[in-house]
Amino acid sequence: MEIEEASRESGHVVCGSWIRRPKKVNWVLIAKASKRRGSSPALLNIFSFDPVTASLSSSPLATHTLKESDGDPVTVTVHPGGDYFICSTSKGGCKSFEIVGGATGVTILAKELLPLETAGVQKCMAFSFDGSKLAVGGVDGCLRIMEWPNLGVILDEPKAHKSIRDMDFSLDSEYLATTSTDGSARIWKAEDGFPLSTLERSGDENIELCRFSKDGTKPFLFCAAQRGETPLVNVYDISTWKKLGFKKLSRKTASTMAVSLDGKYIALGGKDGDVSVAEVKTMEIYHYSKRLHLGQSIASLEFCPSERVMLTTSSEWGEMVTKLSVPKEWKEWQIYALLFCLFMASVVAAYFFFENSDSFWRLPMGKDQKRPKISLFGDSSTPSEDHSRWNLDL
């Protein structure tokens, strides 16, 4: 099958994320909790990814061991540039790390992150798409938006929500959407932290997850919601923040959600271990992995930045890489090759038609006049005496 589970030498896997590197190279960051009774510490591992086999390397490229005083990882977020990532811990606030090296060797260097080292447990974190802002949402409901990398405070709102559950930046990095454990969702202006709107919902509806569209043409916000016993995906227009409609894409409640980097697909990871992938244009299911993480809630889910591959994690089954069964797309070089073949076919067809049609030019012909000769790769030539004779006949 198109799934690989990496070895788990330490404790259970908490979460994972893709790391975009130059030349369409992708790595995977996996955060693991410590084993009980302290037999193995909490680890942050970076694995290489093979796009041909759609699998992770058997051993990590780099490993960082968290201190016992930091506790276990809670969540991670990777900078769009692929050189930094932030890890929220259960005891030590947030930690910043720099990824140094390349093909010959990789090192994870710990960096100071003073404003967030004593911030408490952060449930979710996100970098803006342009990499200029970092947002963190605490279990205590405090929302912070900071400039990156100077860590200047844009917003520090201790009562943003009861407890922050999920967040996402818009493609243009202008807006930040956040959801709460009480079922509410709010929109913030990322530049100054101004609260713009609270999303509408029905009386029995709880908004749980949020993701912005990413294709650059459809300004939508997708929110996974629970209406009674029915899981839905609401669609909001980001110009008015009004609900446009909803769609049922999964049978069970979603625990995590993701949108592909090109904006073509949206995925829902269920609390029962199932994964549904739908095309954004039609909102129809194109890929369904039943019991991918059997009986376990999917902790994290992300699309690969450059391949139709998905990374999922759960505490019981660890990390899995799944190749999606979606329609194959034309690559850029294939489109140009097709256009070139069509052009050459039209040239050959025109030449064949000319050579086999006596009335192609529909010109008056003298009795001794020869037809002009056409060359595909040179100038056409006509004997000078034929021109003279044709003029005299006229």
Side-chain angles (χ1 to χ4, degrees), residues 29-50:
L29 171 65
I30 299 296
K32 297 183 177 182
S34 59
K35 278 188 175 181
R36 295 179 179 178
R37 300 178 183 177
S39 59
S40 180
L43 298 176
L44 300 173
N45 291 328
I46 294 178
F47 294 89
S48 63
F49 169 71
D50 184 355

Side-chain angles (χ1 to χ4, degrees), residues 334-362:
Q334 292 175 321
I335 296 175
Y336 284 119
L338 176 62
L339 292 176
F340 177 76
C341 291
L342 292 175
F343 171 75
M344 292 304 298
S346 63
V347 171
V348 171
Y351 177 74
F352 179 81
F353 178 75
F354 172 77
E355 286 293 320
N356 293 274
S357 177
D358 293 335
S359 59
F360 187 85
W361 293 106
R362 299 187 182 278

Side-chain angles (χ1 to χ4, degrees), residues 18 26 49 260-261 302-311:
W18 292 96
N26 297 294
F49 169 71
S260 62
L261 196 62
E302 271 192 29
F303 286 94
C304 178
S306 59
E307 306 289 335
R308 293 303 183 204
V309 172
M310 188 169 53
L311 171 69

Side-chain angles (χ1 to χ4, degrees), residues 213-317:
S213 59
K214 294 181 175 64
D215 64 353
T217 61
K218 302 177 181 64
F220 300 144
L221 172 65
F222 302 103
C223 291
Q226 192 74 16
R227 184 183 298 174
E229 299 295 325
T230 305
L232 302 172
V233 174
N234 294 336
V235 182
Y236 296 86
D237 184 345
I238 71 172
S239 62
T240 62
W241 304 113
K242 299 296 183 182
K243 186 191 295 186
L244 298 176
F246 61 88
K247 181 78 173 183
K248 183 177 180 180
L249 295 179
S250 60
R251 300 176 183 176
K252 301 292 181 66
T253 303
S255 59
T256 183
M257 181 167 64
V259 174
S260 62
L261 196 62
D262 59 5
K264 292 185 177 181
Y265 294 97
I266 181 172
L268 295 173
K271 292 183 178 180
D272 58 351
D274 293 359
V275 172
S276 303
V277 180
E279 185 187 40
V280 169
K281 184 178 180 180
T282 61
M283 292 300 282
E284 298 294 335
I285 299 295
Y286 269 55
H287 175 96
Y288 180 68
S289 292
K290 188 176 182 179
R291 300 176 181 176
L292 184 63
H293 292 255
L294 180 61
Q296 287 290 314
S297 178
I298 295 180
S300 62
L301 179 153
E302 271 192 29
F303 286 94
C304 178
S306 59
E307 306 289 335
R308 293 303 183 204
V309 172
M310 188 169 53
L311 171 69
T312 55
T313 66
S314 68
S315 59
E316 177 67 24
W317 301 103

